[in-house]
Amino acid sequence: MKQHSERMNGLGTTIFAEMSALAQRTGAVNLGQGFPDTDGPASVIEAAVAALRSGRNQYAPGPGVPELREAVAAHQWRFYGLDVDPDAEVVVTTGATEAVAAALLGLVDPGDEVVVLEPYYDSYVAGIRMAGGVRRPVTLRAPDFRLDVSQLRAAVSSRTRAVLLNSPHNPTGTVLDARELRAVADVAIEHDLVVITDEVYEHLTFDGAVHLPIATLPGMAERTLSISSAGKTFAFTGWKVGWATGPAPLVQAVLAAKQFMTFTSGAPLQPAIAGALQLPDEVFTEHTARLQARRDQLCAGLTEAGFGVRVPQGTYFVTTDISPLGYDDGVEFCLALPERAGVVAVPHQVFYDDVEAGRPLVRWAFCKQESVIDEAVTRLRRAFG
Ligand code: PMP
Ligand code: GLN
């Protein structure tokens, strides 16, 4: 009997699950998978409890409960000045992961090409494959991980259907600036492409780096599907409440696919996240400030242990070069790391077609408590310092 369909070939198990299992098995400090080890705001948890207790327990409408769609639209207006119709231009999804998958299934035909930043988030590869699309990576190269506009232009062909962006970018921590986004916009307009932009780290930028949604650029609102989720912003990664916003036809395409994958997403968590999105600015900025302190703590520790550190402008992650320590293969390094140092990290290599570009790079998550990062750093300095 055939074990799986052709389209699952080579997809394997996601590196995040693999690395968390390794951490559990070995008792290592887990700086691999990007999830916080503390809960988000207590008031948001209370709102979810209240929703569970007040009968919000049956199917939500396909596009999501009205108050969450309204809150997402209000969020886009409040932070970015984007005018989004909550009835036609918002769809609630089961995390950003489902939004990305549904967007690809709803918009990409077999043989269509999708230009994607590399290192890429692993679900993009799977999503493009499941849609029958062909990925065309554009590499963000060490040490700066900036967008090479000529490489972007070279990746576009007459078969290109979409550009799949991610900024703030996992795993490099790059926040695309106005010049880079303008270049993507120019290419998209010139070739009549859809831009699917994954902005799950939109509120997690540091040192004054500004997240600029590409949908705000002239000529882009009508061709951009913007995706985000509550997981990273509010430290509720297990809730899996996400959304996509954009012009009605693009949102309809997402909904067309989504209705046959999950039909609708978990009802009682939606009103709670509607409330979270309306929390005052300080809640967003204080969360980011706390995260920035953890970033600084981990970056300092990794530097002291001898890694080449690229300080990220955003996200939950810092990328390091392991070659100053005398290693050249991130996969081997990460597989040996629990035994060598009692820590788990994620190799970049698995996020590239151009494996050589990612070989010596390793990603570490700093969305963890101060004491946990302290322990990891102590172990790494002992092993390598
Ligand atoms: N996109 C990126 C870039 C991510 O890092 C993640 C992990 N949170 C996701 C999408 C998935 O988000 P969600 O958990 O909301 O599905
Ligand atoms: N986005 C998180 C990361 O990059 C993990 C999500 C997942 O495990 N799929 O580590």
Side-chain angles (χ1 to χ4, degrees):
M1 191 181 66
K2 215 164 108 170
Q3 297 287 306
H4 55 69
S5 63
E6 298 288 322
R7 72 179 77 83
M8 293 297 145
N9 277 348
L11 293 181
T13 304
T14 151
I15 187 75
F16 308 116
E18 214 173 292
M19 286 302 170
S20 279
L22 182 63
Q24 276 219 311
R25 243 185 358 258
T26 58
V29 179
N30 189 358
L31 301 188
Q33 193 176 24
F35 61 90
D37 54 1
T38 45
D39 280 341
S43 64
V44 179
I45 294 178
E46 288 313 314
V49 171
L52 281 162
R53 293 215 162 109
S54 63
R56 308 287 304 259
N57 297 305
Q58 309 310 327
Y59 291 129
V65 303
E67 66 257 54
L68 179 53
R69 282 186 278 122
E70 278 155 25
V72 167
H75 170 277
Q76 295 305 85
W77 177 255
R78 169 180 162 195
F79 288 100
Y80 310 122
L82 282 166
D83 195 2
V84 170
D85 174 357
D87 292 325
E89 297 179 331
V90 182
V91 53
V92 174
T93 56
T94 302
T97 308
E98 190 197 27
V100 170
L104 292 166
L105 287 170
L107 292 167
V108 172
D109 277 317
D112 282 355
E113 296 181 358
V114 179
V115 172
V116 59
L117 301 182
E118 156 179 295
Y120 33 64
Y121 187 58
D122 67 349
S123 86
Y124 302 169
V125 170
I128 294 168
R129 179 85 69 79
M130 287 191 269
V134 178
R135 66 177 179 274
R136 292 282 176 237
V138 175
T139 311
L140 304 179
R141 286 185 194 281
D144 292 332
F145 302 110
R146 302 311 315 184
L147 178 65
D148 177 340
V149 175
S150 56
Q151 220 205 326
L152 168 73
R153 289 199 161 269
V156 174
S157 80
S158 59
R159 297 305 310 267
T160 309
R161 167 71 168 132
V163 179
L164 175 48
L165 273 193
N166 169 219
S167 180
H169 182 258
N170 175 11
T172 64
T174 290
V175 177
L176 294 178
D177 62 24
R179 187 193 63 86
E180 291 163 317
L181 291 167
R182 185 69 259 167
V184 177
D186 287 347
V187 168
I189 291 168
E190 205 175 303
H191 294 269
D192 197 22
L193 310 177
V194 172
V195 173
I196 302 166
T197 171
D198 175 347
E199 305 186 346
V200 296
Y201 300 100
E202 59 186 321
H203 291 289
L204 308 181
T205 61
F206 312 126
D207 306 324
V210 176
H211 165 65
L212 192 60
I214 193 165
T216 61
L217 270 58
M220 288 308 291
E222 56 263 44
R223 61 176 67 252
T224 301
L225 189 71
S226 305
I227 290 172
S228 193
S229 86
K232 308 296 154 120
T233 300
F234 301 111
F236 289 124
T237 61
W239 285 27
K240 298 298 291 184
V241 178
W243 50 85
T245 60
L250 297 185
V251 165
Q252 271 308 317
V254 173
L255 197 51
K258 182 219 157 59
Q259 66 182 329
F260 296 119
M261 295 198 288
T262 52
F263 178 46
T264 69
S265 299
L269 299 181
Q270 295 188 37
I273 295 301
L277 286 169
Q278 294 168 71
L279 288 167
D281 286 2
E282 302 81 73
V283 174
F284 294 82
T285 51
E286 282 164 15
H287 178 213
T288 305
R290 283 193 298 274
L291 192 63
Q292 181 168 321
R294 299 287 74 76
R295 175 202 68 163
D296 292 342
Q297 183 192 359
L298 183 57
C299 287
L302 290 166
T303 304
E304 281 167 28
F307 292 90
V309 173
R310 197 269 183 157
V311 177
Q313 299 174 287
T315 78
Y316 276 176
F317 310 108
V318 50
T319 287
T320 56
D321 185 349
I322 57 173
S323 36
L325 290 172
Y327 297 90
D328 59 9
D329 189 289
V331 169
E332 277 173 26
F333 180 86
C334 287
L335 289 175
L337 194 60
E339 200 175 324
R340 173 88 206 257
V343 178
V344 160
V346 167
H348 265 231
Q349 230 173 101
V350 297
F351 307 129
Y352 290 79
D353 284 14
D354 180 359
V355 172
E356 287 312 311
R359 193 180 294 282
L361 304 175
V362 169
R363 187 196 85 171
W364 314 77
F366 50 79
C367 48
K368 307 292 175 184
Q369 293 172 62
E370 187 173 358
S371 58
V372 172
I373 295 179
D374 237 1
E375 178 60 29
V377 163
T378 303
R379 292 179 183 200
L380 290 168
R381 288 175 60 184
R382 199 182 303 137
F384 301 106

